Amino acid sequence: MLSRQIRRLIVTGIACTVVSWGVPSQAQELIIGESQTEEAEAESISTISKVVTTQDPEIPIDELKLLVKPLTQPELENEAAAWMVLLRQKVQEISDAEIVVKRENRSIAKQEEAVKALEEATQALKVAEESKAVATAGSPEYEEATRKIEEAQENLKKAQEAIEEAATTKAELQEDETLQSVIEEAKETSQLERAKQAIEQAKKDREQVDSWSYEYEEITLQIEDLEIAIETYEYAQEIQANTPPETWEYEDATQQLEAARNSLKQATEAILGVDTNSPTPTEQSSESFDQTADSLSNTTIEGNLEVKVASVVEETPSIENLEEKQDQLEKTTEQLQENAEAESELKNQLVSNIVELQAEQTAIIDRFEIVLDELEKKGGAVDSYQNYIQAVSTIEIDLQDTEGLGVRLMGWLKSEEGGLRWGINMSKFISIVIASIIVSQIIGLILNKILSKFSNTSDIFRQFVVMLVKRGGVVVGCMIGLTALEVSLGPILALVGGASFVIAFALQSNLANLASGLMLMVYKPFDTGDEVKIGDIWGYVDSITLANTKIQGWGKEEINIPNNTVWGNTIINLTSQDIRGGMIKVPVPFTQKITEVERILQEIGESHPLIIKAGTFPWEYAEYYVYLCFSFKTKTPDFWTVWSDLMHSIQERFEQEKIALAVPVQEIRVQSTSNGEFPQPSVGLSQKSLQDYPSTVHTS
């Protein structure tokens, strides 16, 4: 017996020892696991706490640029992830609101369809009632009444189906908590807008009242109470938005917001003179819709008139029954119209909220891109973020919803991130372009005056440089203006660079002309108005462009020569100097004294007032005469005037001095034939004229 007790004690001791060894180890493992979890959580919290740029999502962009500049790549990646979360939340809010708008549009469309069907049913019953008053069995009026009541039945059925679909849509909205919260937010916004409009209207009404009257003081007190209620409501909204959910502080903030909402509602209805216990237009429309749906579902029109219309004609109660049905359908139609209008107002408020959310999304994207730009500079990958931004930045608009489209447009125009922003950017763009035009014109005028003082500068080169400055300044101004419109110049410059390469390869000959045009402008072999010889072409330079040179010929014809051809040809500028020389060759026969002719030519040259210097000298011998060259110098603008005067003077003086100019001699030999007759000469002279000539005739 004792041995058994001893054994039990030994076993118990061993068990206690094992348990004592196991429990500390398990406790130690538990402590280690808990410590690792706490470290992970602390690390996660520390990582979240490191996010600094999203603490104020409305931080000014210039401050944000300075804030992200010292951050490292891992820190910027953390910041980008935080902004991504904000952007995704905002996109989700917009998507939820868009879904609600689409469902509201479907509900409104079905209600309008029901209204149209009920109006047609009411009209059909009215015609049937008129036909019944004079109908007899088998008469045309009887058949018309039967047909109209059947038509009313069909329209009533359509209205009931449309109302059922609208009710289904509203039930789906009420079942979805997320979409229902969007609707509640729109109702709150609508209530706030209603309060602000009430203040504006009350202020206008107060202006029509004497300032010393009791009514004036009462309206003033109501306005002050409503303003305080609005401020309290907005403050409560801000407190709730900045409080973490699922905390006692959030519950307290929600209660305060609800109290502020009730105070706002009471203050608004007090200033509008509305019963505070009456439902809001939205609540009233919801109740009205339910009542209308129930009323319409219980409405029937008995229609076997082939048996019943005859009795209806004979019995007045049946006619009264039709009138009752007609009145009931008219009331139902009015209720549906009012409900559709109330839902349309709610839908418009939702659209207005969407515009505000899109403005907030734009502001988030602007700041997100600042972080991404800095992250990309420091080697981070931003493609996935950029793709997401590009995907969510597109806006889809339902063009069939004209009323909603108008609300979107007006909201966008009033939004700081929408119409106002683009209006400011557009004004900046226009201002920059106008300033660039003015500045480039001023710089062009100054440059034109400076280049005009240098005599060795070509007029065409000067005009080209001035034109380049003026037009280039406008182009630069437009490029800078595009940055004001938030257009990135990088893709534009890349596109221009790629297009320039393709154009340069395809237009090689044209580029050669452009290069030659620049060479002509820089080296100035001639200028506009100069008399030049380019190869076989002789005329005056009319204009020079980068592509070609225009020459005006002696017959006033216009000759366009590619600049590449001009630069590669022989160029003779006849008017490049202030003094131009000329030479007239005078053929003098051997029978005339050369010295006498030289004296006469010298006298002609010295007597002309525009000739600066004149002289003569023998040039060369010919077969029957010798060439005397009469050279002269005059001012370049007077050259052709002097040339013409000299030609006239030489001819007149030679006639006075009986000096004959040498001319080429042509001999024509005419021989008689054996029969004494003259053959027909090859020069076409008549036989009569040839009888007066000897055998050898000299003609000039």
Side-chain angles (χ1 to χ4, degrees):
M1 187 71 180
L2 181 62
S3 63
R4 290 183 179 178
Q5 293 179 353
I6 293 172
R7 290 177 182 175
R8 290 176 181 174
L9 289 174
I10 293 172
V11 172
T12 303
I14 294 172
C16 291
T17 303
V18 172
V19 170
S20 64
W21 288 348
V23 170
S25 62
Q26 293 176 358
Q28 185 176 5
E29 291 176 359
L30 181 61
I31 293 172
I32 293 173
E34 291 179 352
S35 63
Q36 291 177 350
T37 304
E38 291 177 356
E39 290 177 359
E41 292 178 354
E43 183 179 357
S44 176
I45 293 173
S46 64
T47 301
I48 296 174
S49 64
K50 290 180 181 178
V51 178
V52 294
T53 58
T54 56
Q55 294 179 358
D56 181 13
E58 298 180 359
I59 181 174
I61 291 180
D62 54 350
E63 295 182 10
L64 181 61
K65 291 180 179 179
L66 297 175
L67 191 61
V68 300
K69 193 171 185 180
L71 299 181
T72 61
Q73 178 181 340
E75 292 172 334
L76 287 171
E77 289 175 351
N78 195 23
E79 299 292 333
W83 281 104
M84 184 68 175
V85 172
L86 286 180
L87 179 59
R88 184 185 177 282
Q89 292 174 351
K90 192 61 62 177
V91 173
Q92 185 65 49
E93 293 178 12
I94 295 174
S95 298
D96 293 339
E98 290 284 6
I99 292 172
V100 175
V101 169
K102 289 185 178 297
R103 293 188 180 181
E104 286 289 344
N105 282 332
R106 288 204 299 268
S107 176
I108 294 171
K110 289 300 178 182
Q111 293 182 51
E112 291 176 350
E113 183 181 342
V115 167
K116 183 179 179 181
L118 288 176
E119 288 177 349
E120 293 177 356
T122 303
Q123 183 66 25
L125 287 178
K126 184 177 180 181
V127 174
E129 180 185 353
E130 294 175 354
S131 300
K132 284 180 182 180
V134 295
T136 58
S139 65
E141 292 80 5
Y142 176 86
E143 295 178 357
E144 179 67 17
T146 303
R147 188 177 62 82
K148 286 298 180 182
I149 290 184
E150 290 177 354
E151 182 179 342
Q153 288 176 339
E154 292 295 330
N155 289 324
L156 180 60
K157 184 178 179 181
K158 291 180 182 178
Q160 290 172 344
E161 293 175 354
I163 289 297
E164 289 177 0
E165 293 183 11
T168 303
T169 302
K170 293 178 70 67
E172 292 176 355
L173 287 175
Q174 292 174 357
E175 292 173 359
D176 194 323
E177 295 181 359
T178 303
L179 301 183
Q180 191 63 29
S181 65
V182 174
I183 296 176
E184 292 298 329
E185 184 179 355
K187 292 179 181 179
E188 294 177 2
T189 306
S190 177
Q191 187 175 0
L192 186 61
E193 292 295 329
R194 185 185 179 196
K196 293 180 179 180
Q197 292 175 2
I199 288 180
E200 296 296 330
Q201 185 62 38
K203 289 181 179 180
K204 292 180 181 179
D205 295 340
R206 187 176 59 177
E207 294 176 356
Q208 308 297 327
V209 181
D210 296 330
S211 59
W212 49 266
S213 63
Y214 172 77
E215 185 179 359
Y216 184 89
E217 294 180 359
E218 185 179 2
I219 295 176
T220 303
L221 290 175
Q222 291 176 347
I223 291 174
E224 291 176 355
D225 292 341
L226 186 53
E227 288 177 345
I228 293 173
I230 291 174
E231 292 178 0
T232 304
Y233 179 75
E234 290 178 343
Y235 179 73
Q237 277 187 323
E238 184 179 356
I239 293 297
Q240 187 194 40
N242 295 328
T243 303
E246 299 181 359
T247 60
W248 67 268
E249 292 92 347
Y250 185 82
E251 294 179 359
D252 184 59
T254 303
Q255 293 176 0
Q256 293 179 2
L257 179 62
E258 186 65 27
R261 184 185 295 112
N262 293 331
S263 300
L264 178 64
K265 179 180 178 182
Q266 293 176 1
T268 303
E269 293 173 345
I271 201 171
L272 292 175
V274 183
D275 184 9
T276 57
N277 295 322
S278 62
T280 62
T282 306
E283 294 172 350
Q284 187 175 2
S285 69
S286 180
E287 295 175 359
S288 174
F289 178 80
D290 295 336
Q291 295 174 0
T292 303
D294 294 338
S295 174
L296 194 60
S297 61
N298 296 325
T299 302
T300 58
I301 301 175
E302 296 180 358
N304 280 332
L305 293 186
E306 296 179 356
V307 178
K308 295 182 179 180
V309 168
S311 61
V312 168
V313 176
E314 296 172 359
E315 297 178 4
T316 306
S318 296
I319 297 177
E320 292 177 353
N321 186 30
L322 276 180
E323 292 178 354
E324 181 182 353
K325 295 294 184 182
Q326 181 179 344
D327 294 338
Q328 183 180 357
L329 291 180
E330 289 178 353
K331 292 179 181 180
T332 305
T333 302
E334 292 177 359
Q335 291 176 354
L336 281 176
Q337 289 176 342
E338 293 175 358
N339 185 73
E341 291 176 358
E343 289 199 11
S344 179
E345 292 180 2
L346 177 61
K347 185 257 302 183
N348 291 337
Q349 185 60 52
L350 285 168
V351 173
S352 180
N353 290 355
I354 290 173
V355 174
E356 294 180 1
L357 291 174
Q358 288 173 343
E360 296 173 3
Q361 173 185 309
T362 302
I364 292 175
I365 289 176
D366 291 341
R367 289 155 179 80
F368 192 9
E369 288 180 342
I370 297 297
V371 177
L372 294 179
D373 290 341
E374 191 68 24
L375 176 59
E376 187 176 12
K377 290 178 183 177
K378 295 177 181 178
V382 298
D383 292 341
S384 60
Y385 294 126
Q386 294 288 1
N387 292 336
Y388 183 81
I389 291 174
Q390 186 177 3
V392 301
S393 297
T394 57
I395 299 176
E396 296 182 0
I397 299 176
D398 186 4
L399 297 179
Q400 296 179 353
D401 184 12
T402 56
E403 186 178 7
L405 181 60
V407 173
R408 286 179 189 269
L409 181 60
M410 294 303 298
W412 182 83
L413 291 175
K414 296 178 182 179
S415 173
E416 293 182 358
E417 298 295 336
L420 296 178
R421 176 177 178 176
W422 278 99
I424 295 173
N425 292 343
M426 185 60 68
S427 63
K428 289 181 181 178
F429 173 78
I430 295 174
S431 300
I432 291 172
V433 172
I434 293 175
S436 65
I437 292 174
I438 295 174
V439 171
S440 61
Q441 292 293 326
I442 294 174
I443 295 175
L445 292 175
I446 295 173
L447 188 60
N448 187 28
K449 290 183 179 180
I450 293 175
L451 293 177
S452 298
K453 295 181 180 180
F454 296 95
S455 58
N456 60 343
T457 303
S458 170
D459 289 340
I460 297 179
F461 180 72
R462 173 175 54 81
Q463 294 172 3
F464 172 74
V465 172
V466 172
M467 179 193 68
L468 185 64
V469 169
K470 291 181 178 180
R471 297 183 180 179
V474 175
V475 173
V476 172
C478 291
M479 298 293 285
I480 297 175
L482 288 176
T483 59
L485 292 176
E486 303 178 7
V487 177
S488 178
L489 297 181
I492 296 177
L493 296 177
L495 179 62
V496 171
S500 300
F501 176 78
V502 176
I503 293 173
F505 182 78
L507 304 177
Q508 296 181 12
S509 59
N510 293 332
L511 291 178
N513 289 328
L514 296 179
S516 299
L518 288 175
M519 298 295 287
L520 291 173
M521 293 179 182
V522 172
Y523 287 98
K524 191 186 174 182
F526 51 80
D527 211 337
T528 54
D530 287 352
E531 183 183 346
V532 296
K533 289 182 178 180
I534 301 175
D536 297 333
I537 299 173
W538 187 3
Y540 288 94
V541 179
D542 183 72
S543 63
I544 303 175
T545 64
L546 289 176
N548 56 58
T549 299
K550 184 185 293 184
I551 303 295
Q552 187 177 23
W554 296 106
K556 300 298 181 181
E557 67 275 11
E558 291 185 355
I559 306 171
N560 290 294
I561 309 174
N563 286 334
N564 193 23
T565 303
V566 175
W567 185 250
N569 215 325
T570 302
I571 301 173
I572 302 176
N573 191 341
L574 301 174
T575 56
S576 59
Q577 304 297 326
D578 295 334
I579 303 299
R580 181 177 177 182
M583 185 173 64
I584 301 176
K585 293 182 178 180
V586 181
V588 180
F590 291 137
T591 58
Q592 187 67 42
K593 292 183 178 181
I594 297 177
T595 56
E596 182 67 17
V597 177
E598 288 179 339
R599 180 185 65 80
I600 295 172
L601 292 176
Q602 190 67 30
E603 290 177 356
I604 293 173
E606 293 175 352
S607 63
H608 199 288
L610 298 179
I611 292 180
I612 299 174
K613 183 179 180 181
T616 60
F617 56 90
W619 179 253
E620 64 178 354
Y621 285 100
E623 185 177 359
Y624 303 104
Y625 53 87
V626 61
Y627 269 127
L628 283 180
C629 287
F630 174 51
S631 63
F632 63 93
K633 291 184 178 180
T634 184
K635 294 181 179 180
T636 301
D638 301 330
F639 177 81
W640 287 110
T641 302
V642 172
W643 179 279
S644 178
D645 293 344
L646 288 178
M647 295 296 288
H648 289 88
S649 298
I650 291 172
Q651 183 181 7
E652 293 174 358
R653 186 67 183 274
F654 277 17
E655 288 180 355
Q656 292 176 3
E657 299 293 338
K658 306 298 183 180
I659 297 176
L661 295 177
V663 295
V665 178
Q666 180 181 6
E667 293 184 357
I668 301 176
R669 298 181 180 274
V670 182
Q671 297 179 354
S672 61
T673 58
S674 58
N675 56 4
E677 294 181 356
F678 294 100
Q680 186 70 23
S682 61
V683 294
L685 298 177
S686 62
Q687 295 182 357
K688 180 179 179 181
S689 61
L690 291 175
Q691 293 176 357
D692 298 332
Y693 288 87
S695 298
T696 302
V697 181
H698 298 277
T699 61
S700 59

